[in-house]
């Protein structure tokens, strides 16, 4: 077999993995791979303006499409700039392959120009990573990386390729199948555990399904819905789980946890059985752990065994893929012979209680005719897009208002940094999603703080002719931190008030995009309409009530029943 | 509770660092760590002593298993097992204490591996408790230096990792 250069192996591997687009930024240590991609001509290359943007764009591409996101950057600062994006993808289990250039092997360890131990730096925030020392290993490593990134609990995998390895030659031996003796993710849950789970479900009087991002990742949307409808159980979702169950479904209680609905949190506190699916009992969900669901038995289904029994004691652990797990669970339940009526009767009192909670404190906000309420903007955005857009968010109040007031019916329509809470995520992620779905409406909901963290990517969006719509909820504050300062720091607004905020409309224009601004409630509809109807990249800026808060809110470390309401 | 874990790990560069990093990053404690090749040159055997409540140990084992390089993890302290540690101890041995040091060597079945006019260097192997006892007896005589290996362990009888 003819020998192939390392740089060509990269291109060949990308093609075999079905990669159509890569995001990245060039530099001396990766120039050869870029050159090879260009020569080949079959892979679209998206040049970002900052490597963090590349990782978030690859992440948005991956989350929206379910494919592996790929980014390629140079060594040293190029590599370190990806770390936030990698950690973001790691926390939210996003399949991603990051290829970094490295100084020639002879220089590694010599503090060479633009050298950094990126494998060492990213070890704790990648699913796995590699430094390729010999071009003979490269094709196998590329295959392994894609396999690891997308299998089991997905995650980012980094491959660091020294310049001489990129140019060295070897046979391209790309394995068809990967067999790693040390890595065997369990996809098929154990039937015994499924049966134990069913027994608990049959006994329960007040069950609740607690659905997380794992449902979305596994594509278990339909199975989850079938389960809820079969056993007549309410569904509370984590931020990452939104869209995993239709937000408009009568059984949906919306989000739970720190900014979850009153009803979700009360139901969690009073349930006798939690059916947790692809969720990990994050502290933002459980609040004070000792007070979390004190009377509940817990069934926990997750593909990653480390998530089970990490934060709470679990009665029935089910290790496996959520789609397979839910199907099996449903099958065994149906074999039990009960009809839906029986289930409905069994949970009748529970539903009455839930409806009462819903009525007592529905998600709401104080309307105002003088100043724009951010919740109103999201509500109108939902109405006008008919819930059919892919929404990305930044992090903070904008993210929580979106989670609360935009109803997500379909999986992969909300892209948001849940685990790491990365400001600056939303806009580059929207770029990635728009590239994956050129014909869909993609909207980034941002705050004035977050959008400024990766605003430079407007150039990328313009260059790629991406019609992303950016909604900026501008309160000239770092709103979420300000909310904490207001509630817990006697309104000492330290370092949360921006002295200088750019004119976002003119900023949009500076990049060649369009900008619209609303300063009064009656302008909201018009600006949204104009913005959504205008071709190309658009910023819609809304001057919102400056001291509006996100409610309900469970103060950190409190029980989830101790909610601050509107 | 003290637990002794036997970990088989791919003999890849960085594998040890992944394991050590896992412990430091998640706030778990490593009391002792010993690594060497196995009969299979592609695998390394690692003995790791740690302590914690059952839930913590469960997490440690799961997290170790999650590492792509980790082939197998066994908590050998769950069943019958033998464990050994080795120490080299350089102890003061002048006219008045030489006999006493040799008596201790005899009782604990240590070996004298080096002698100088003023010191003995002893080799001692055994479970951690034995090493502790030897050190306690030698300390009043005057220990000049020690080097220890950390614990290695193996399940008893037919069980293998």
């Amino acid at each position: 077999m003819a020998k192939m250069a390392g740089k060509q192996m990269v291109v060949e591997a990308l093609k075999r993995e079905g990669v159509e687009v890569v995001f990245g930024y060039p530099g001396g240590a990766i120039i050869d791979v870029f050159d090879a991609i260009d020569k080949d001509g079959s892979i679209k290359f998206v040049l970002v303006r900052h490597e963090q943007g590349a990782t978030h764009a690859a992440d948005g591409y991956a989350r929206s499409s379910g494919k592996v996101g790929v980014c390629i950057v140079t060594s040293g600062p190029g590599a370190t700039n990806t770390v936030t994006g990698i950690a973001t993808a790691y926390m939210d289990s996003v399949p991603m392959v990051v290829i970094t250039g490295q100084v020639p092997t002879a220089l590694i360890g010599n503090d060479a120009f633009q050298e950094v131990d990126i494998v060492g730096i990213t070890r704790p925030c990648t699913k796995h990573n590699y430094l390729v020392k010999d071009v003979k290993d490269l094709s196998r490593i590329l295959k392994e990386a894609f396999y690891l990134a997308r299998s089991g609990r997905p995650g980012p995998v980094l491959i660091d390729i020294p310049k001489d390895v990129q140019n060295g030659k070897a046979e391209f031996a790309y394995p068809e199948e990967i067999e790693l003796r040390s890595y065997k993710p369990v996809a098929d849950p154990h039937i015994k555990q499924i049966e134990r789970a069913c027994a608990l479900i049959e006994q329960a009087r007040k069950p609740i399904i607690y659905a997380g991002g794992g449902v979305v990742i596994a594509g278990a949307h339909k199975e989850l819905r079938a389960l809820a409808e079969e056993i007549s159980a309410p569904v509370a979702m984590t931020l990452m789980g939104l869209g995993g169950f239709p937000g408009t479904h009568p059984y949906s209680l919306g989000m739970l946890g720190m900014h979850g609905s009153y009803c979700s949190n009360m139901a969690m506190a009073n349930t006798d059985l939690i059916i947790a699916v692809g969720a990990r009992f994050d502290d933002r969900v459980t609040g004070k752990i000792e007070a979390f669901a004190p009377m509940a038995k817990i069934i926990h289904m997750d593909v990653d065994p480390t998530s089970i029994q990490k934060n709470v004691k679990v009665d029935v652990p089910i290790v496996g893929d959520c789609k397979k797990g839910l199907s099996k669970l449903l099958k065994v339940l149906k074999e039990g012979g009960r009809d839906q009526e029986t289930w409905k009767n069994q949970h009748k009192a529970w539903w009455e209680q839930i409806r009462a909670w819903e009525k007592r404190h529905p998600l709401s906000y104080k309307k105002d005719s003088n100043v724009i309420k951010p919740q109103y903007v999201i509500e109108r955005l939902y109405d006008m897009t008919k819930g059919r857009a892919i929404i990305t968010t930044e992090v903070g109040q904008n993210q929580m208002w979106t989670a609360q007031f935009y109803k997500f019916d379909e999986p992969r329509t909300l892209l948001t940094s849940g685990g790491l809470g990365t400001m600056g995520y939303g806009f580059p992620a929207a770029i990635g999603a728009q590239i994956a779905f050129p014909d869909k409406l993609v909207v980034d909901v941002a705050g004035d703080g977050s959008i400024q963290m990766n605003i430079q990517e407007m150039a990328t969006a313009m260059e790629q002719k991406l019609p992303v719509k950016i909604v900026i909820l501008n309160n000239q504050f770092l709103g979420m931190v300000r909310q904490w300062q207001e509630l817990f720091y006697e309104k000492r607004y330290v370092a949360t008030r921006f002295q200088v905020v750019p004119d976002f409309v003119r900023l949009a224009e500076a990049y060649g995009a369009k900008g619209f601004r609303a300063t009064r409630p009656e302008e909201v509809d018009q600006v949204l309409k104009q913005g959504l109807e205008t071709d190309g990249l658009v910023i819609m800026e809304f001057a919102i009530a400056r001291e509006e808060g996100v409610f309900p809110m469970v103060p950190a470390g409190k029980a989830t029943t101790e909610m601050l309401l509107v | 509770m003290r637990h002794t874990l036997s970990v088989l790990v791919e003999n890849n560069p960085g594998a040890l660092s992944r394991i050590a990093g896992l412990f430091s990053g998640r706030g778990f404690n490593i009391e002792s760590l010993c690594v060497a090749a196995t009969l299979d040159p592609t695998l390394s055997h690692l003995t790791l002593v740690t302590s914690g409540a059952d839930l913590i140990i469960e997490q440690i084992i799961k997290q170790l298993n999650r590492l792509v390089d980790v082939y197998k993890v066994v908590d050998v302290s769950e069943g019958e097992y033998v464990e050994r540690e080795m120490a080299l101890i350089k102890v003061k041995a002048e006219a008045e204490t030489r006999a006493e040091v040799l008596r201790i060597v005899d009782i604990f079945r240590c070996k004298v591996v080096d002698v100088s006019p003023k010191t003995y260097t002893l080799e001692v192997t055994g479970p951690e408790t034995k090493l502790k006892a030897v050190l306690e007896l030698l300390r009043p005589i005057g220990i000049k230096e020690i080097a220890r290996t950390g614990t290695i362990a193996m399940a008893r009888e037919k069980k293998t990792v």
Side-chain angles (χ1 to χ4, degrees):
Chain A
M1 196 193 270
K3 293 196 168 179
M4 190 188 268
K7 55 192 173 187
Q8 281 152 349
M9 291 184 187
V10 173
V11 179
E12 198 54 38
L14 293 176
K15 282 159 68 178
R16 294 209 185 181
E17 295 299 329
V19 175
E20 287 159 356
V21 56
V22 296
F23 303 87
Y25 206 94
I30 198 70
I31 197 166
D32 299 287
V33 170
F34 277 56
D35 196 51
I37 291 175
D38 188 69
K39 265 194 192 137
D40 177 80
S42 61
I43 297 168
K44 182 184 172 74
F45 192 87
V46 177
L47 171 65
V48 294
R49 291 299 183 272
H50 186 290
E51 289 87 350
Q52 187 186 350
T55 40
H56 290 327
D59 175 313
Y61 177 86
R63 287 194 214 215
S64 58
S65 67
K67 298 179 194 163
V68 179
V70 178
C71 70
I72 304 181
V73 301
T74 194
S75 66
T80 54
N81 277 347
T82 64
V83 171
T84 302
I86 293 173
T88 305
Y90 183 67
M91 289 291 271
D92 290 341
S93 312
V94 177
M96 188 190 287
V97 170
V98 179
I99 294 171
T100 51
Q102 181 56 281
V103 302
T105 40
L107 291 182
I108 291 178
N110 287 4
D111 300 329
F113 175 66
Q114 292 197 328
E115 182 198 351
V116 76
D117 173 15
I118 194 63
V119 166
I121 288 172
T122 58
R123 207 168 272 140
C125 62
T126 46
K127 184 168 170 185
H128 197 60
N129 60 15
Y130 300 88
L131 168 61
V132 188
K133 287 215 176 122
D134 189 332
V135 68
K136 287 195 205 85
D137 299 328
L138 183 57
S139 46
R140 173 187 53 85
I141 287 174
L142 284 159
K143 175 78 189 180
E144 275 180 22
F146 276 91
Y147 169 66
L148 288 170
R150 61 163 77 96
S151 62
R153 177 177 181 172
V157 178
L158 182 138
I159 314 172
D160 198 26
I161 315 178
K163 197 169 164 86
D164 55 321
V165 174
Q166 294 166 32
N167 288 306
K169 287 191 169 180
E171 248 177 54
F172 181 72
Y174 206 67
E176 287 290 312
E177 289 287 320
I178 285 287
E179 181 64 30
L180 292 171
R181 61 177 170 183
S182 305
Y183 174 78
K184 300 248 182 276
V186 178
D188 249 328
H190 202 285
I191 188 71
K192 278 274 170 319
Q193 301 296 56
I194 296 279
E195 284 165 0
R196 286 180 59 208
C198 289
L200 282 187
I201 293 172
E202 281 171 6
Q203 285 158 27
R205 289 292 180 274
K206 299 190 276 185
I208 185 167
I209 295 171
Y210 155 44
V215 173
V216 177
I217 294 168
H221 182 241
K222 286 198 185 104
E223 288 77 6
L224 181 72
R225 181 175 176 161
L227 176 71
E229 287 175 351
E230 177 67 22
I231 65 172
S232 179
V235 182
M237 282 160 280
T238 68
L239 175 65
M240 301 308 296
L242 292 176
F245 185 78
T248 53
H249 195 286
Y251 287 0
S252 165
L253 306 186
M255 191 166 67
L256 81 164
M258 184 174 271
H259 293 294
S261 66
Y262 174 82
C263 180
S264 290
N265 285 337
M266 292 307 285
M268 273 308 236
N270 288 281
T271 177
D272 62 356
L273 178 68
I274 295 174
I275 307 166
V277 189
R280 59 192 176 91
F281 296 86
D282 179 88
D283 56 280
R284 284 292 188 267
V285 158
T286 61
K288 189 172 151 192
I289 201 96
E290 305 84 63
F292 176 74
M295 291 161 295
K297 294 234 188 258
I298 299 178
I299 297 167
H300 191 177
M301 185 187 293
D302 205 297
V303 76
D304 177 9
T306 56
S307 286
I308 298 176
Q309 205 100 274
K310 185 163 62 183
N311 300 325
V312 296
K313 218 177 151 322
V314 168
D315 298 277
V316 181
I318 302 175
V319 178
D321 173 80
C322 291
K323 193 178 171 81
K324 289 192 173 145
L326 286 171
S327 316
K328 263 194 185 175
L329 193 63
L330 201 58
K331 186 165 167 272
V332 175
L333 275 172
K334 280 188 172 164
E335 283 164 7
R338 293 194 195 192
D339 61 0
Q340 290 191 10
E341 263 331 283
T342 319
W343 288 109
K344 270 194 181 131
N345 285 334
Q346 182 161 325
H347 304 147
K348 196 160 170 266
W350 178 227
W351 272 111
E352 279 165 14
Q353 173 69 69
I354 282 170
R355 297 300 179 212
W357 282 321
E358 268 174 352
K359 229 178 182 175
R360 192 177 313 154
H361 295 291
L363 264 184
S364 66
Y365 59 95
K366 287 196 186 84
K367 304 241 168 18
D368 198 308
S369 56
N370 290 315
V371 58
I372 300 175
K373 286 299 186 98
Q375 300 92 333
Y376 176 68
V377 178
I378 304 293
E379 273 180 349
R380 294 303 296 149
L381 178 67
Y382 174 72
D383 293 340
M384 285 191 194
T385 58
K386 300 184 180 65
R388 278 196 227 120
I390 295 177
I391 304 285
T392 73
T393 80
E394 303 293 340
V395 166
Q397 290 186 317
N398 61 80
Q399 180 185 33
M400 289 299 120
W401 284 319
T402 306
Q404 291 177 332
F405 291 93
Y406 197 98
K407 291 185 177 51
F408 296 93
D409 275 341
E410 293 294 326
R412 304 191 181 279
T413 53
L414 169 63
L415 317 181
T416 189
S417 168
L420 196 66
T422 309
M423 288 173 72
Y425 168 81
F427 180 46
I431 288 177
Q434 189 78 79
I435 284 174
F437 295 97
D439 299 329
K440 274 202 177 171
L441 174 62
V442 179
V443 183
D444 172 36
V445 179
D448 51 312
S450 287
I451 193 66
Q452 291 186 65
M453 279 211 178
N454 272 320
I455 192 121
Q456 77 287 349
E457 298 307 333
M458 288 190 70
T460 308
M462 287 306 291
E463 214 160 74
Q464 300 292 330
K465 300 189 170 48
L466 302 174
V468 173
K469 313 296 176 214
I470 307 172
V471 167
I472 300 177
L473 303 172
N474 187 353
N475 54 11
Q476 305 195 9
F477 265 116
L478 291 175
M480 192 58 99
V481 184
R482 184 206 52 74
Q483 180 170 341
W484 284 42
Q485 288 169 335
E486 180 184 326
L487 293 168
F488 314 118
Y489 296 83
E490 293 152 348
K491 293 199 179 188
R492 291 190 301 277
Y493 295 158
V494 180
T496 45
R497 190 196 307 264
F498 286 129
Q499 306 286 341
V500 174
V501 178
D503 179 330
F504 288 109
V505 172
R506 285 172 65 193
L507 186 74
E509 285 160 4
Y511 277 103
K514 291 270 170 1
F516 304 98
R517 180 184 293 119
T519 51
R520 304 208 26 96
E522 60 271 20
E523 295 164 355
V524 168
D525 271 20
Q526 191 208 334
V527 164
L528 278 173
K529 193 164 179 295
Q530 242 177 335
L532 294 174
E533 281 172 4
T534 301
D535 289 338
L537 182 64
V538 174
I539 282 183
M540 291 164 261
E541 184 192 352
F542 299 88
I544 59 162
R546 293 194 68 176
E547 300 207 353
E548 186 68 16
V550 182
F551 294 102
M553 175 180 188
V554 179
K558 294 268 183 172
T560 46
T561 46
E562 297 175 79
M563 282 166 275
L564 308 173
L565 297 158
V566 182
Chain B
M1 257 285 278
R2 184 173 177 273
H3 287 255
T4 305
L5 309 180
S6 255
V7 185
L8 282 180
V9 55
E10 298 285 346
N11 194 1
N12 287 341
L16 178 62
S17 146
R18 272 178 224 284
I19 291 173
L22 167 71
F23 275 75
S24 60
R26 293 191 180 264
F28 304 141
N29 190 31
I30 298 178
E31 286 170 19
S32 151
L33 181 66
C34 231
V35 200
T38 61
L39 287 173
D40 177 351
T42 63
L43 285 176
S44 296
H45 184 207
L46 192 145
T47 310
L48 204 152
V49 181
T50 185
S51 54
D54 288 355
L55 276 181
I56 299 285
I57 300 297
E58 184 184 329
Q59 259 307 303
I60 289 175
I61 293 173
K62 283 176 170 175
Q63 294 284 357
L64 282 170
N65 269 316
R66 185 157 80 143
L67 295 177
V68 171
D69 280 335
V70 170
Y71 177 56
K72 200 165 180 190
V73 186
V74 174
D75 184 350
V76 290
S77 48
E78 274 194 334
E80 294 274 312
Y81 71 109
V82 282
E83 62 174 20
R84 288 289 179 275
E85 187 178 330
M86 186 169 106
L88 292 173
I89 307 167
K90 195 176 286 166
V91 61
K92 226 194 262 177
E94 293 173 15
E96 61 278 17
T97 56
R98 289 184 95 88
E100 174 64 8
V101 173
L102 289 179
R103 256 197 300 278
I104 294 169
V105 164
D106 193 36
I107 292 165
F108 283 93
R109 279 173 283 171
C110 312
K111 251 196 240 163
V112 178
V113 291
D114 187 51
V115 184
S116 81
K118 290 189 170 176
T119 62
Y120 278 135
T121 300
L122 316 179
E123 170 194 313
V124 51
T125 60
E128 197 200 2
T129 43
K130 176 176 164 184
L131 266 66
K132 213 172 139 197
V134 174
L135 286 169
E136 225 162 83
L137 287 169
L138 291 173
R139 190 164 288 127
I141 299 170
I143 298 173
K144 295 177 84 81
E145 191 181 355
I146 60 168
R148 297 171 69 160
T149 60
T151 301
I152 54 169
M154 194 175 271
R156 286 193 57 193
E157 297 174 349
K158 281 188 192 158
K159 272 196 219 161
T160 53
V161 171

